[in-house]
Amino acid sequence: MRVISDTEFGGERPLFESHDLRLENVIIREGESAIKECSNIEAVNCRFEGNYPFWHVHGFVIDRCYFDVGGRSALWYSDHLKMKDTLIDAPKMFREMHDIEIENVEMTDADEVFWRCDRIDVRNLKLHGGTYPFMLSRDIRIDGLESDSKYVFQYVKNLELHNARITTKDALWETENVTVYDSELNGEYLGWHSRNLRLVNCHISGTQPLCYAENLVLENCVMADDCDLAFEYSSVHATVSGHIHSVKNPLSGSIVADSIGEVILDGNIKAPANCEIRLTDGRRLD
């Protein structure tokens, strides 16, 4: 493998069609498409300031690097990436990619990141700001996530999420086959229109959570007092530890909690309208 170290590049496509190349302490200055149509690339302790540095790259490692704001849209149409210990200040990263491994990465402008990506494996990721991270991506496993980005995980399929702290609105909308373990999910309208969403040992807050959901499962979850009007038009099997502020017009299944402030079953309920609602002491409220 050829090594380039302690230098800088700028302009258009300075390393175009490079293969079997290791970059050490290299700075990519203003310009476009520095590392395009490349394979088997390693970048260690590098800084990226120019646009679109990694496009159509196949097999690459990014270790202890920094992406400046100017290094936007840096990783598109590429595959088999391993990234670790990296700070990203640029938006619109990771598009149309597959086979991505992420470890100890922080993104300070997580706008439109991880779009239409397949097979993502993450350990310890921080997302700040921006909208729609992970939209339309699939086959994702994440252990350790902090996110305050808006509308996270919309239209995602096949997600396993552990140890997350998410603060946003409209998280997990129209998802399919998602399981979330040991996580804190804060923000209104959680999980609407989802299919096969399972929450295990999670703390949930925000108004009108988990409505219009199909085959929704909650296991040993806690719902904050602002979780009102929950489960409207959802098919659900839920066991909640503690109190639920209010439940409104669930379709079917069962809801069990230590206490429920209000159960609303009105003329707008939809068939089959046979959800069993009861307290942990066995008293029925439906």
Side-chain angles (χ1 to χ4, degrees):
M1 177 175 278
R2 184 165 62 103
V3 176
I4 298 176
S5 60
D6 303 308
T7 189
E8 60 184 62
F9 297 94
E12 303 297 308
R13 302 187 178 189
L15 297 169
F16 185 80
E17 277 281 7
S18 293
H19 305 281
D20 305 313
L21 176 65
R22 180 179 173 91
L23 303 174
E24 299 176 352
N25 303 308
V26 169
I27 302 175
I28 301 298
R29 298 292 190 189
E30 185 176 352
E32 294 187 358
S33 305
I35 305 164
K36 186 175 183 180
E37 292 287 353
C38 298
S39 66
N40 194 22
I41 304 295
E42 295 181 6
V44 180
N45 287 318
C46 295
R47 179 184 178 97
F48 299 95
E49 299 175 358
N51 300 161
Y52 329 130
F54 292 92
W55 278 45
H56 300 280
V57 177
H58 309 290
F60 56 126
V61 173
I62 297 175
D63 183 11
R64 289 164 285 160
C65 291
Y66 171 65
F67 288 82
D68 187 78
V69 173
R72 60 189 294 117
S73 306
L75 304 115
W76 287 37
Y77 304 107
S78 298
D79 58 82
H80 295 90
L81 164 66
K82 294 183 179 180
M83 176 186 283
K84 64 180 298 186
D85 301 322
T86 290
L87 176 63
I88 300 171
D89 286 338
K92 300 186 178 181
M93 309 285 282
F94 306 98
R95 292 279 190 94
E96 306 278 358
M97 293 180 61
H98 63 85
D99 296 287
I100 303 168
E101 295 181 30
I102 299 287
E103 183 174 1
N104 299 329
V105 170
E106 182 171 1
M107 307 180 74
T108 63
D109 184 2
D111 193 41
E112 300 180 10
V113 298
F114 295 105
W115 277 22
R116 294 187 181 273
C117 293
D118 294 346
R119 299 188 294 278
I120 307 170
D121 192 344
V122 174
R123 294 186 62 188
N124 301 325
L125 174 64
K126 295 181 179 180
L127 301 177
H128 304 293
T131 57
Y132 300 106
F134 292 99
M135 191 167 74
L136 294 166
S137 289
R138 59 195 305 160
D139 301 322
I140 306 164
R141 189 183 190 281
I142 300 176
D143 189 350
L145 171 67
E146 295 180 21
S147 176
D148 59 23
S149 302
K150 293 181 179 179
Y151 322 123
V152 65
F153 296 120
Q154 289 211 5
Y155 311 111
V156 159
K157 292 183 178 181
N158 308 329
L159 165 66
E160 181 179 324
L161 176 61
H162 298 257
N163 302 307
R165 183 175 183 180
I166 294 172
T167 302
T168 185
K169 63 183 292 187
D170 301 350
L172 297 165
W173 268 52
E174 292 199 45
T175 58
E176 185 173 347
N177 303 330
V178 170
T179 301
V180 183
Y181 298 93
D182 306 309
S183 295
E184 185 177 321
L185 307 172
N186 304 310
E188 59 264 40
Y189 319 125
L190 171 70
W192 281 39
H193 301 283
S194 59
R195 290 194 293 169
N196 306 327
L197 173 60
R198 179 175 171 231
L199 307 179
V200 182
N201 299 327
C202 290
H203 185 281
I204 300 162
S205 68
T207 187
Q208 300 177 57
L210 304 166
C211 300
Y212 293 90
E214 179 183 335
N215 194 28
L216 170 68
V217 175
L218 275 69
E219 300 176 17
N220 192 37
C221 290
V222 174
M223 302 183 78
D225 194 53
D226 62 352
C227 288
D228 60 335
L229 307 174
F231 307 121
E232 186 175 21
Y233 301 139
S234 292
S235 58
V236 54
H237 290 276
T239 58
V240 173
S241 178
H243 183 71
I244 302 176
H245 185 285
S246 59
V247 171
K248 183 176 182 180
N249 289 340
L251 293 182
S252 62
S254 64
I255 300 168
V256 181
D258 295 338
S259 61
I260 300 176
E262 184 180 15
V263 176
I264 303 166
L265 303 175
D266 61 24
N268 296 312
I269 196 168
K270 296 180 180 180
N274 61 0
C275 184
E276 178 184 320
I277 305 172
R278 59 183 173 86
L279 304 182
T280 51
D281 65 10
R283 286 180 292 163
R284 292 187 62 151
L285 303 177
D286 51 301

